Amino acid sequence: NAGVTQTPKFQVLKTGQSMTLQCAQDMNHNSMYWYRQDPGMGLRLIYYSASEGTTDKGEVPNGYNVSRLNKREFSLRLESAAPSQTSVYFCASRGGDTSNQPQHFGDGTRLSIL
Amino acid sequence: AQSVTQLGSHVSVSEGALVLLRCNYSSSVPPYLFWYVQYPNQGLQLLLKYTTGATLVKGINGFEAEFKKSETSFHLTKPSAHMSDAAEYFCAVSENSSASKIIFGSGTRLSIRP
């Protein structure tokens, strides 16, 4: 029962370095999401992919890029990391064809930018 | 546009006392509503959801929530708090449309006093 798997779980980067966060789901879900979680701000949507082959910006897309590699995998890339991107990143997936389905979350990637 | 407001970033109750976590939403179309729980260093887990039908929704761990359209509210309650309920709770809204996004509130941290 893997569900949504995120790698790595922890990472420390220096300012200006690049990195890709990986996410994979085994539930055959169409939609996948990337959020960041910061204290007192809840979860903010960075990018989402409603189906394989499509991606859309969320609330806070600046400084990030995404790739929906196939139905299972949705990666998030930081091209030039900045201290403001220090956060906990969550990937989620959602099945079904309507908006009444909940999201399933991974355990998060804790990212620190020095 | 959708939005979610959670009143109170931190709620503290005694073990055995009533838990009430408040959530108000804004949506231009009938919403789907969700409550999630997050334990330390974990991802979010679905507690319950409202889609259509009965306005009182029962979830896991003894929690329930009532959808009140006239008050645009979806408050979460539990009659008797347990120490294991200490966590962060998020309310979320999804529009009843083809859009795939879910918008989260900023979260309420629930503490339980012995």
Side-chain angles (χ1 to χ4, degrees):
Chain A
N1 296 339
V4 178
T5 302
Q6 292 183 235
T7 55
K9 295 189 185 304
F10 303 92
Q11 185 69 49
V12 179
L13 294 177
K14 294 181 179 178
T15 298
Q17 287 185 316
S18 62
M19 172 164 190
T20 299
L21 308 186
Q22 306 287 353
C23 175
Q25 53 93 7
D26 61 2
M27 296 172 283
N28 201 35
H29 286 170
N30 288 324
S31 302
M32 297 185 74
Y33 307 78
W34 276 105
Y35 292 89
R36 60 177 290 173
Q37 184 178 28
D38 302 292
M41 303 189 74
L43 274 75
R44 292 183 291 169
L45 183 64
I46 305 172
Y47 272 93
Y48 68 102
S49 171
S51 61
E52 186 179 357
T54 69
T55 60
D56 287 285
K57 295 179 180 179
E59 303 171 67
V60 290
N62 291 344
Y64 305 95
N65 286 301
V66 291
S67 296
R68 184 74 182 266
L69 304 170
N70 47 55
K71 192 170 187 178
R72 289 187 64 249
E73 298 172 287
F74 188 40
S75 62
L76 178 72
R77 184 162 178 82
L78 288 68
E79 290 291 352
S80 179
S84 61
Q85 294 177 306
T86 293
S87 188
V88 182
Y89 291 85
F90 287 99
C91 178
S93 70
R94 190 185 198 189
D97 295 327
T98 64
S99 303
N100 64 1
Q101 298 301 310
Q103 291 175 320
H104 298 258
F105 284 82
D107 286 337
T109 294
R110 285 148 184 82
L111 183 61
S112 293
I113 316 295
L114 304 178
Chain B
Q2 317 167 65
S3 66
V4 176
T5 301
Q6 291 184 241
L7 297 177
S9 60
H10 182 209
V11 170
S12 179
V13 303
S14 297
E15 190 173 19
L18 171 71
V19 175
L20 171 61
L21 305 183
R22 301 178 185 274
C23 173
N24 288 88
Y25 69 89
S26 172
S27 178
S28 58
V29 297
Y32 297 131
L33 295 159
F34 307 85
W35 274 101
Y36 289 83
V37 60
Q38 183 183 30
Y39 298 104
N41 299 316
Q42 295 185 23
L44 280 68
Q45 304 171 34
L46 181 69
L47 268 180
L48 50 80
K49 68 176 183 179
Y50 168 77
T51 54
T52 58
T55 56
L56 182 61
V57 180
K58 294 187 184 300
I60 62 172
N61 301 340
F63 284 93
E64 61 184 34
E66 186 172 10
F67 171 61
K68 292 187 176 180
K69 184 178 179 180
S70 61
E71 299 178 7
T72 61
S73 69
F74 190 56
H75 301 331
L76 182 71
T77 61
K78 182 173 180 178
S80 177
H82 191 273
M83 296 299 292
S84 61
D85 295 326
E88 187 139 21
Y89 292 80
F90 292 92
C91 182
V93 62
S94 173
E95 289 190 342
N96 181 3
S97 69
S98 60
S100 192
K101 291 191 292 185
I102 292 181
I103 301 300
F104 285 83
S106 56
T108 297
R109 183 164 61 90
L110 176 64
S111 299
I112 312 297
R113 302 188 300 271

